[in-house]
Amino acid sequence: GAKALKRNTWMFFAPELAAASRERFTMDTGLRRALDRQELVLHYQPQARVDGSRVFGAEALVRWTTPEGEVIGPGRFIALAEEAGLIHTIGRWVLGEACRQAREWELAGLPLRVAVNLSGLQVVQGDIVGDVREALEQSGLSPSRLELEITEGFVIGHADEGLERLNGLRRLGIELAVDDFGTGYSSLSYLKRLPVQCLKIDRSFITDVPGDPDDETIVAAILSIADRLGLDVIAEGVENATQLDFLRSLGCPAYQGDYLSPPLTAAEFTERWGAGGLAREA
Ligand code: C2E
Ligand code: MG
Ligand code: MG
Ligand code: MG
């Protein structure tokens, strides 16, 4: 009966719930200390043109190394940081560190554009224009060497509030990209109104091309829209030569993914792509 079911359900779920809330509590507390203890680190994934695989940029991706030595990816703590109100502090650190690194590379003769992921909350709640201006000033990085990625879901949900801030970012001289493009529910009309320069095709559309006719059509459609609107495109999550050849045959200008390189530490990145290595074939 219902009583038995209720009791069983309780018995089944209670330990899991307790464990989940315990992990949450620990993560929350740990994350609060992570910045002070310098436990956050940025890894960089190269971005390249499809012809000749010339590397022109790097996407900064945050990781958290706990005192226990466990490396936690952003998928496990960014949402928590948003809920805990920590995303602004973390976001400012990411901006500052990415700009500092990009300037270091620039001075070392490695002129990369660094892309930084923004949480939607950073755009609607904080002073994102001030934060970016400060990161640029402190590092001395030229604004043209910084790109900010915003997600399509955010763009659609907050187009009006966010628009003025995005325009403010553009006025600083930086570029904006729509991350995970194609995964939102969109009329696409926002592309006309928002000051974005680049679409990043979501990895989920790349995984099964060539081969999956639907995904092939979607990728071709995105490229066509971008071309007509004068937008740049970066395909994400390219894992093999077949995918890259397919993208090249459709005229996709740029890509990133494990085929070129997984995200690297700054030192690994410099080692592999530094000293004239940008022009080197992948
Ligand atoms: P994203 O911006 O779409 O980043 C791409 C993700 O795909 C990265 O995961 C990257 O490691 C992974 N990836 C790249 N190439 C390949 C590939 O060829 N195959 C596969 N299977 N995966 C690939 P990561 O680093 O775990 O980041 C996950 C997401 O976390 C990012 O998605 C981004 O939305 C968010 N994120 C990362 N860093 C930050 C940050 O500093 N701030 C904010 N707000 N979000 C961040
Ligand atoms: Mg991204
Ligand atoms: Mg993405
Ligand atoms: Mg993503």
Side-chain angles (χ1 to χ4, degrees):
K3 219 172 180 180
L5 183 65
K6 218 173 178 180
R7 193 167 56 234
N8 287 340
T9 308
W10 169 250
M11 285 168 65
F12 183 73
F13 282 113
E16 277 188 15
L17 282 175
S21 84
R22 211 165 34 239
E23 175 182 271
R24 208 183 149 77
F25 176 78
T26 316
M27 291 259 298
D28 186 318
T29 314
L31 199 48
R32 278 176 203 285
R33 295 180 196 143
L35 278 162
D36 302 335
R37 297 180 178 178
Q38 300 181 302
E39 291 166 9
L40 295 186
V41 64
L42 296 183
H43 285 196
Y44 297 88
Q45 185 172 44
Q47 301 174 319
R49 295 282 151 202
V50 295
D51 41 346
S53 293
R54 193 171 53 84
V55 172
F56 63 89
E59 178 174 6
L61 296 157
V62 70
R63 275 97 181 85
W64 172 22
T65 308
T66 67
E68 292 75 36
E70 188 192 356
V71 179
I72 301 180
R76 274 181 64 201
F77 69 86
I78 288 293
L80 180 73
E82 288 174 340
E83 285 168 38
L86 296 169
I87 193 65
H88 300 285
T89 317
I90 291 176
R92 268 192 298 274
W93 179 82
V94 170
L95 274 168
E97 176 58 17
C99 288
R100 189 203 59 72
Q101 183 60 61
R103 177 64 177 151
E104 191 182 307
W105 277 328
E106 189 173 48
L107 291 172
L110 197 59
L112 292 164
R113 183 188 69 189
V114 171
V116 171
N117 293 281
L118 291 188
S119 151
L121 290 182
Q122 282 177 274
V123 182
V124 286
Q125 290 179 350
D127 175 18
I128 188 64
V129 180
D131 291 347
V132 171
R133 188 190 293 115
E134 190 176 318
L136 290 171
E137 280 172 7
Q138 295 245 324
S139 61
L141 184 72
S142 143
S144 63
R145 297 228 182 280
L146 180 64
E147 177 176 74
L148 298 178
E149 299 187 2
I150 50 175
T151 62
E152 190 178 26
F154 160 74
V155 174
I156 293 154
H158 301 83
D160 295 331
E161 309 147 71
L163 183 59
E164 194 34 51
R165 274 120 186 257
L166 297 182
N167 283 326
L169 290 172
R170 277 296 288 152
R171 283 194 294 271
L172 292 178
I174 61 150
E175 301 220 316
L176 299 173
V178 181
D179 203 355
D180 305 338
F181 185 76
T183 56
Y185 326 82
S186 169
S187 68
L188 296 183
S189 66
Y190 72 87
L191 286 180
K192 232 170 43 177
R193 291 181 290 127
L194 291 183
V196 297
Q197 288 71 53
C198 178
L199 305 180
K200 298 192 71 180
I201 305 177
D202 191 66
R203 185 174 83 220
S204 59
F205 301 117
I206 305 299
T207 308
D208 296 327
V209 297
D212 182 312
D214 293 339
D215 288 343
E216 288 184 0
T217 303
I218 290 169
V219 171
I222 293 174
L223 287 165
S224 163
I225 290 170
D227 187 49
R228 288 173 194 212
L229 294 176
L231 300 172
D232 200 5
V233 173
I234 301 178
E236 290 192 286
V238 175
E239 293 182 343
N240 57 58
T242 320
Q243 290 166 339
L244 180 57
D245 288 342
F246 173 80
L247 290 166
R248 196 182 280 123
S249 75
L250 287 187
C252 178
Y255 74 106
Q256 66 186 87
D258 291 351
Y259 179 61
L260 177 64
S261 168
L264 304 171
T265 65
E268 289 166 344
F269 197 104
T270 310
E271 162 101 26
R272 172 142 184 215
W273 305 104
L278 287 188
R280 197 165 54 213
E281 299 277 318

